[in-house]
Amino acid sequence: MTVTEPSSTDDLGFDPDSLREKYRIERDKRLRADGNEQYVEVSGAFAGYVADPYLDTVIEREALTDEVDVVVIGGGFGGLLTGARLREAGVRDIRMIEKGGDFGGTWYWNRYPGAMCDVESYVYMPLLEELDYVPREKYAHAREILAHSRAIGEHYDLYANACFQTEVTELRWDDDARRWIVRTNRGDAMRARFVAMANGPLHRPKLPGVEGIGDFEGHTFHTSRWDYDYTGGSPDGGLTKLAGKRVGIIGTGATAVQCVPHLGELADELVVFQRTPSSIDVRDNRPTDPAWAASLEPGWHQARMDNFNCLVSGVPQEVDLVDDGWTDIIGKMVTLMRNGSADFTPEGIASMMELADFEKMNEIRARVESIVDDAELAEALKPYYRQFCKRPCFHDDYLPTFNRPNVTLVDTDGKGIDRITAAGIVANGVEYELDCIVFATGFEVGTGYARRAGYEIYGRRAQSLSDYWADGVRTLHGMLSHGFPNCFVISQVQGGFTVSYPHMLAEVANHIAFIIDHALANDIATVEVTPEAEQAWIDEIIAKARARGDFLENCTPGYYNNEGKPGERSDQNSSYGSGAIAFFKIIERWRDEGSFAGLTFGS
Ligand code: NDP
């Protein structure tokens, strides 16, 4: 035990050593040699899983070979924010390219029943003051967020010149012309002075690589392509066509947690196949108080985003404006400090964080017991790992769904399903016959950038980004890579990760718009990071990442720790280890300083 822990387990009401041991046992059960390779790519025979089920009409148009100042790839929040900030900077000649039929990104694709944001909408949804909009609920539902995405597109005139239903197939730098050639699946070969790639972090569905994955003869789809023709209903629920159907769902992550209550309500039988239980905290959603909305002063949105970001980054604040499950764990840490058990050495802080985490997860496990009637079932639904090893979930209807007589939990004790057959799913050696299988198995995270983006990027001397990043991502501030002039990456890798992802996107969009605006205004043909500046940033990323190594090593496998294999490459491919607040300050100071340090400009 370390010095910060109370002397007896009686003071705590639990034994940290036995919990640590339990966490280790549960993690070890789930470690597997194939790590990220366990999943099947949704291409070839599985390409049908990514077809767009939401299109009303297929756009017919001529191939484009024209030229624009900026191409933004991706019409989700990353692309929209970049487009918005470019417009505000006065850049007129922008083309958004989006594979879906409209703006929205993750909220275009994820329309499964019950989809909603997990982070408070007054923090999560971007550009609220710019659009003079206050979300209708504390946690907004998918439809409202999709509508807001469209509203951003309208407000900033980003529909003009946009190419929807268009997938980029290749980016290639033409060094003589100082232009990017953007090729697409529509035969386009357009030219762009600058390119910003907002492909999204979690957009390429993955399937479990189990035996028989292609054998099922019933109906099947991934949660990010929900088939309402088959299930009936809408994102609000009401899946009436599932009457008389036996439905199986694989996965119990944040997505499954939101759609399982709707499946359980109307399917004749629902079988939930679980490998690792999620941590399910209180949701307590509520409509927005109109008086509160009317009282908001200019600047409220950024202030709330910053307040939340500080609290979830462990920086105590005078007031907790959001006051929910995300900020609660930090509140617990502050309470521990106030109780005088503080030791402010790095080891002391780590130990205090662990204690606060144990307390929080004990609360989560007690919540399962208080909701789920059957004790054995409740035990199977309890998560035994530290809260931030996996995405924490918040829901008030998920756990009660397991009290329904038509809902069965098949806990595979960390092993996952055995195989898929023509008739259903085999797990723990038992075959469950099903009419429909829903894959709530998530999205590719740890695979190569070009594979996830769906296109290769060829920079100077026709070098591919995949080759250049073969031993790990190489950037300055997560955005610019040497040899790939005028090309901006929008991602949390080597940047600032925060649980409210759009906050990071907003800061990165400010930065990219600042650089592009400067280049366009000053007739600068090329902007490129120097190898020295790039290497210095990589060194800092690796040095800072090491501090989190132990935490991730001890975590149950998941995409947060490269499926149980955090390693050298993960250090380099991680976010800035001192946190998002520090990262945002670094890039803000860089802009304020005004020398464009680390960049070279070419004519
Ligand atoms: P996840 O990757 O979080 O979950 C995938 C699930 O599939 C896990 O439960 C996983 O188990 C399970 N699984 C994978 N392979 C097998 C197998 N062979 N047998 C049985 N189970 C298997 O994907 P989600 O779509 O749930 O969520 C992805 C991310 O999207 C979230 O982490 C979050 O960042 C985001 N999200 C955000 C929401 C929001 O409100 N803002 C809502 C929903 C999602 P195991 O845990 O053991 O790997």
Side-chain angles (χ1 to χ4, degrees), residues 248-270:
I249 181 164
I250 306 173
T252 50
T255 298
V257 165
Q258 294 183 334
C259 65
V260 155
H262 294 282
L263 291 169
E265 188 192 352
L266 288 164
D268 251 29
E269 276 179 52
L270 174 66

Side-chain angles (χ1 to χ4, degrees), residues 71-93:
V71 156
V72 178
I73 303 172
F77 283 160
L80 287 168
L81 276 155
T82 304
R85 295 306 183 214
L86 285 167
R87 282 278 195 254
E88 284 172 353
V91 178
R92 298 310 319 156
D93 193 11

Side-chain angles (χ1 to χ4, degrees), residues 38-39 107 112 116-118 124 202 206 208 210 223 250-256 258 273 275-276 390-391 416-417 440-443 557 559 563:
Q38 67 182 284
Y39 301 105
W107 300 102
Y112 57 82
M116 64 196 296
C117 67
D118 256 355
Y124 178 85
L202 291 158
K206 61 179 161 58
V210 292
T223 48
I250 306 173
T252 50
T255 298
Q258 294 183 334
F273 295 89
R275 189 164 70 176
T276 309
K390 281 189 177 282
R391 168 90 181 191
I417 58 167
T441 43
F443 304 86
Y559 73 79
E563 298 294 341

